[in-house]
Amino acid sequence: MRFASPGAMDEYSRFVDWDKMDMSAQSQDTKELTCTDLHELKQLARQGYWAKNHSLRAKVYHKLISNIPCRTVTPDANVYRDIVVKITGKRNSSSLPLPEFVDNSLIPTYCLNAEGIGAVRKIILCIANQFPDISFCPALPSVIALLLHYSKDEAECFEQVCRILACNDPSRRLIDQTFLAFESSCMTFGDLVNKYCQAAHKLMVAVSEDVLEVYSDWQRWLFGELPMAYIARIFDVFLVEGYKVLYRVALALLKFFHKVRAGQPMESDSIQQDIRAFVRDIAKSVSPERLLEKAFAIRLFSRKEIQLLQMANEKALQQKGITVKQKRQNVHLAVHAENFKSEIVSVKEMRDIWSWIPERFALCQPLLLFTTLEHGCSLSRFYSHSEGHEPTLLLIKTTAKEVCGAYLSTDWSERRRGGNKLSFFGTGECFVFRLQPEVERYEWVVIKHPELASTGSETENHAQTASSTLSSSSIPSDPSDRLSPFLAARHFNLPSKTASMFMAGSSECIIVGGGDGQALYLDADLNHGRTSHCNTFNNQPLCSESFQISILEVWGFRDTMNG
């Protein structure tokens, strides 16, 4: 690609109020960008190569967007010129009603002049006319407002936004256009926070009644609250690298919020409002470059892994019939005080555990499947009551009053695939924890140490070869067939299978976590157990290393929507 800036800003200044623009960050130097290599382009985008020259950025945006693969019939600038007057008439643009799919989103003005502010509404209405399938797209006003700064006229901006919306590359997700896609992205963001921002997640759980409602604001932070200089830098990288960048930046925002606000009293009675205010005023604490630096320092899993998680969340929503916007049930109160009774944990402790589980199961209520107090101390009865349920939660209280347990991602019936031989199965969503005497959760070691596995770059063949050495390679190849496809070990090139020994069971024992020790080992009588460090979870012993079981419970997940 070759771009040359004309030096003057007139060509792209029609909608810009230059008094609002930070001109100190702008360079008048004539700049060129000669680049054909995607890797090099990615580095330049991250470094902000075209961020300091308005005209150059406009040309780069135009080129990157024109390279997006689109549906055959994608509305262009001529379509806009044909329809705009018919659709908007001669009315004052500020009085034009917006389509429902923008969901009362903020319409940021950024550094637009009066003509630009009016143009945003006109373009939204013309897009609604040309894209009848869009049912929910709260990010749209922000994207239009941003691109107007870098467009010669309304028609050009309309065409660029249409290309982003009409992208038909299945591996390239750009902007959510349905409530199902949006809501599953919020759940996916919640899952990522749970894994990568545990301190911030703990704060959210402590101060908000509904954590998912807070995380459902994540796109608003980016496409609404962030100042112009920040969203433009994010968009530079987004057009090159795609949707994953948005997750990265939102995680970084949450990390900074927690760092700046930790230990301080809340400024309002709503954590949601506090985060919005922090993002709006982010310039007081973090520069755009520092925000991006933090975002790319987060060692996220591969795009493929995140896609699988998104698919699993979409599937969970579809199964619950949640495909259009509706009043969300209070997810955090899935554990109801009046109908929850455990002999091992309190309602508060169960809610804490619920805040650790993947979002798609946090929509469910706990269902007691097995307890030694009622069903006796028998491994065969443990299996008969637990099988057919996925996932399950194992809780143990020892005779020394210690409490520990495990979240187990996979149906116990999978143990039969190994015949009479004890073999491991499950996915990297499994984790182990202790609650008494103190709270500690241990997740799959690869989450905190991704250097133990290489992801994303392997070919399917390579991944298949790697999976054939793993005990969990029996997982079906179509991820949509499983409720828990995320973090399946077969997607990782692991040098040692001890890092993926999640769960195993036979008529003799149950094991959770393997490799140089076992996080939990329970005998056939469900009477005695052992715990030690293991490679899979890199955990400390969960209680006394050799213990006697006082009570053991297994909990399943009841779909509240379908009874």
Side-chain angles (χ1 to χ4, degrees):
M1 283 190 261
R2 187 176 181 83
F3 310 91
S5 164
M9 294 183 184
D10 303 344
E11 197 178 4
Y12 298 101
S13 63
R14 176 172 169 181
F15 303 111
V16 179
D17 181 340
W18 291 104
D19 293 336
K20 294 181 189 171
M21 278 289 243
D22 178 9
M23 294 308 292
S24 64
Q26 291 295 313
S27 160
Q28 295 297 320
D29 296 343
T30 300
K31 247 181 168 183
E32 284 196 0
L33 177 63
T34 308
C35 178
T36 53
D37 178 62
L38 182 63
H39 180 73
E40 188 186 343
L41 198 60
K42 189 187 283 191
Q43 292 308 312
L44 292 172
R46 290 187 184 189
Q47 291 161 13
Y49 184 83
W50 52 83
K52 290 194 166 75
N53 187 298
H54 189 87
S55 186
L56 179 62
R57 181 183 255 159
K59 288 179 174 293
V60 172
Y61 280 7
H62 188 81
K63 186 68 177 170
L64 290 173
I65 292 170
S66 68
N67 284 339
I68 293 173
C70 290
R71 300 197 280 263
T72 315
V73 183
T74 297
D76 61 11
N78 289 327
V79 168
Y80 183 81
R81 295 183 188 104
D82 288 344
I83 65 173
V84 63
V85 176
K86 295 176 204 160
I87 290 168
T88 63
K90 301 273 192 263
R91 283 179 293 174
N92 183 328
S93 22
S94 62
S95 67
L96 294 170
L98 290 176
E100 275 187 26
F101 66 65
V102 298
D103 190 45
N104 300 319
S105 325
L106 295 178
I107 300 191
T109 56
Y110 296 133
C111 302
L112 292 174
N113 57 24
E115 186 185 2
I117 293 166
V120 176
R121 284 179 174 262
K122 289 160 70 178
I123 294 170
I124 290 173
L125 286 168
C126 290
I127 282 172
N129 172 269
Q130 291 294 303
F131 289 84
D133 292 344
I134 295 181
S135 57
F136 197 79
C137 193
L140 187 62
S142 167
V143 172
I144 292 171
L146 177 66
L147 286 174
L148 271 169
H149 294 77
Y150 303 99
S151 301
K152 293 174 186 172
D153 56 30
E154 291 172 20
E156 182 179 270
C157 180
F158 170 84
E159 179 173 323
Q160 294 198 63
V161 177
C162 286
R163 290 195 67 82
I164 291 171
L165 293 170
C167 173
N168 63 358
D169 178 349
S171 67
R172 193 168 178 186
R173 183 185 181 140
L174 291 174
I175 293 179
D176 296 328
Q177 296 170 47
T178 65
F179 183 71
L180 183 64
F182 172 82
E183 187 76 346
S184 63
S185 81
C186 296
M187 290 167 68
T188 302
F189 179 67
D191 285 323
L192 295 173
V193 174
N194 197 349
K195 296 200 180 300
Y196 297 102
C197 307
Q198 290 185 8
H201 183 62
K202 196 172 178 182
L203 173 68
M204 301 302 132
V205 171
V207 300
S208 65
E209 281 206 330
D210 188 347
V211 184
L212 186 54
E213 197 164 315
V214 177
Y215 296 152
S216 292
D217 248 11
W218 80 279
Q219 289 197 24
R220 177 182 172 138
W221 304 339
L222 306 178
F223 297 112
E225 304 290 2
L226 271 180
M228 167 75 184
Y230 292 76
I231 186 60
R233 282 295 290 113
I234 293 160
F235 211 74
D236 292 346
V237 188
F238 167 72
L239 284 178
V240 178
E241 298 189 40
Y243 200 90
K244 187 176 168 183
V245 169
L246 304 182
Y247 283 136
R248 283 187 176 283
V249 175
L251 288 169
L253 285 170
L254 206 54
K255 280 180 179 282
F256 278 122
F257 172 79
H258 178 259
K259 184 179 175 184
V260 170
R261 293 290 168 83
Q264 294 181 12
M266 284 173 58
E267 294 189 355
S268 72
D269 55 5
S270 158
I271 190 81
Q272 218 167 351
Q273 296 300 335
D274 277 13
I275 298 173
R276 288 175 184 178
F278 171 78
V279 175
R280 268 197 303 277
D281 297 332
I282 193 165
K284 293 177 183 173
S285 45
V286 183
S287 70
E289 300 314 315
R290 180 79 189 92
L291 179 63
L292 281 177
E293 192 181 302
K294 184 83 165 175
F296 286 107
I298 300 169
R299 301 174 72 180
L300 277 185
F301 281 129
S302 67
R303 187 176 284 107
K304 180 177 182 181
E305 276 299 315
I306 292 173
Q307 264 178 338
L308 287 173
L309 180 55
Q310 187 98 16
M311 282 167 54
N313 284 333
E314 281 198 14
K315 186 169 182 179
L317 287 168
Q318 284 171 322
Q319 287 173 340
K320 289 170 176 54
I322 305 174
T323 55
V324 294
K325 187 169 170 61
Q326 53 190 262
K327 180 141 179 54
R328 179 186 287 114
Q329 69 181 82
N330 195 332
V331 173
H332 185 55
L333 298 182
V335 185
H336 292 291
E338 62 273 14
N339 57 15
F340 172 76
K341 188 168 189 317
S342 164
E343 299 300 327
I344 300 180
V345 296
S346 66
V347 170
K348 159 110 183 34
E349 287 171 325
M350 193 60 143
R351 284 181 181 165
D352 284 344
I353 295 169
W354 231 244
S355 76
W356 297 335
I357 64 176
E359 289 288 357
R360 62 192 184 279
F361 298 118
L363 295 164
C364 303
Q365 287 180 355
L367 173 68
L368 184 62
L369 302 174
F370 173 85
T371 168
T372 50
L373 291 180
E374 184 184 332
H375 303 107
C377 298
S378 157
L379 194 49
S380 62
R381 282 200 284 275
F382 169 99
Y383 288 137
S384 66
H385 284 272
S386 303
E387 283 176 11
H389 293 271
E390 179 177 294
T392 53
L393 191 66
L394 175 68
L395 296 177
I396 298 165
K397 186 176 194 176
T398 72
T399 52
K401 296 194 167 30
E402 301 156 307
V403 175
C404 61
Y407 170 83
L408 302 166
S409 66
T410 306
D411 191 329
W412 277 106
S413 62
E414 286 278 313
R415 76 186 194 286
R416 296 204 191 92
R417 286 175 177 259
N420 295 323
K421 186 174 156 226
L422 187 76
S423 63
F424 281 87
F425 55 97
T427 74
E429 282 191 317
C430 294
F431 60 82
V432 294
F433 57 88
R434 64 165 171 254
L435 296 178
Q436 300 287 351
E438 71 282 324
V439 177
E440 194 69 56
R441 169 175 54 147
Y442 299 99
E443 296 198 283
W444 187 27
V445 65
V446 174
I447 291 170
K448 284 216 171 92
H449 299 282
E451 68 275 8
L452 295 176
S454 58
T455 67
S457 58
E458 313 98 86
T459 62
E460 277 302 309
N461 190 35
H462 187 165
Q464 288 296 323
T465 308
S467 74
S468 67
T469 67
L470 297 171
S471 53
S472 56
S473 61
S474 55
I475 294 168
S477 59
D478 179 3
S480 65
D481 287 344
R482 295 196 62 77
L483 275 173
S484 294
F486 186 51
L487 302 184
R490 68 198 171 89
H491 298 306
F492 294 81
N493 180 20
L494 296 169
S496 161
K497 71 176 183 179
T498 62
S500 63
M501 293 173 139
F502 302 115
M503 51 193 287
S506 69
S507 57
E508 306 294 319
C509 65
I510 280 173
I511 297 172
V512 179
D516 275 352
Q518 293 147 351
L520 278 172
Y521 171 95
L522 306 180
D523 68 11
D525 297 328
L526 298 183
N527 200 352
H528 290 91
R530 300 192 301 269
T531 175
S532 63
H533 169 272
C534 78
N535 289 358
T536 301
F537 299 114
N538 195 26
N539 59 288
Q540 295 301 311
L542 303 178
C543 56
S544 306
E545 294 199 19
S546 183
F547 58 88
Q548 191 168 351
I549 297 169
S550 170
I551 309 168
L552 182 147
E553 293 175 350
V554 179
W555 291 81
F557 294 73
R558 178 171 54 202
D559 186 341
T560 54
M561 306 296 290
N562 299 325

